Amino acid sequence: MTMTVNGLLQCASETATAIFRLTLDPEPTADAGPNATICAGDNHQLNGNATFYRLLLWTTSGTGGFNNANLLNPIYTPSAADTAAGSVTLTLAAYGIGTCFDSITYDSMILTMDRAPVANAGPDASYCVNGPITLGGAYAWNNTGYWWTRAAVNDGTFNP
């Protein structure tokens, strides 16, 4: 911006000019990306975004870890405690630049860990060829359904 001043009285024909520079630094922005769900035991590639920052830092409400907490898109590895809790909140902080050096903007996303399915067909057993066999000790967890199949064709049926 330029300021121009006209003189008074005997200096009325004189002018003075001064220049003023105004720099506006934008506030940092942070976007941790959308909430996500993974299978327990898997890692998660984060999808962060930020602008006008000098430093980034990811933190977790859990005890898992990042391969590099200062990247926009690090990989998060959930801990056993994270998986047991079922979810964690992951927060991205963007630290400002220039005159916004002390500004910090935060955004969070929730990472949910679905438990992996578990199948146990029970202990191995030997039976006489003739007659029905009752299968026992079998269980399945964290599933939408289960079914039994035979190892070979024409080697018996299931009821039901």
Side-chain angles (χ1 to χ4, degrees), residues 76-155:
Y76 183 74
T77 302
S79 67
D82 292 350
T83 301
S87 68
V88 292
T89 299
L90 304 177
T91 302
L92 174 62
Y95 293 78
I97 58 174
T99 57
C100 296
F101 191 84
D102 292 332
S103 294
I104 306 170
T105 302
Y106 300 93
D107 190 49
S108 298
M109 59 88 64
I110 297 172
L111 179 64
T112 302
M113 282 75 58
D114 281 345
R115 289 185 168 80
V118 174
N120 184 326
D124 292 344
S126 297
Y127 293 92
C128 183
V129 174
N130 273 340
I133 300 169
T134 301
L135 301 173
Y139 60 86
W141 294 335
N142 308 322
N143 63 81
T144 58
Y146 63 91
W147 59 97
W148 289 93
T149 58
R150 299 183 310 254
V153 177
N154 296 327
D155 66 348

Side-chain angles (χ1 to χ4, degrees), residues 38 42-46 58-70 73-83 88-90 111 113:
I38 62 173
D42 288 349
N43 297 331
H44 180 66
Q45 175 87 47
L46 291 160
W58 283 94
T59 56
T60 176
S61 65
T63 57
F66 302 91
N67 67 329
N68 185 336
N70 300 116
N73 301 304
I75 295 171
Y76 183 74
T77 302
S79 67
D82 292 350
T83 301
V88 292
T89 299
L90 304 177
L111 179 64
M113 282 75 58

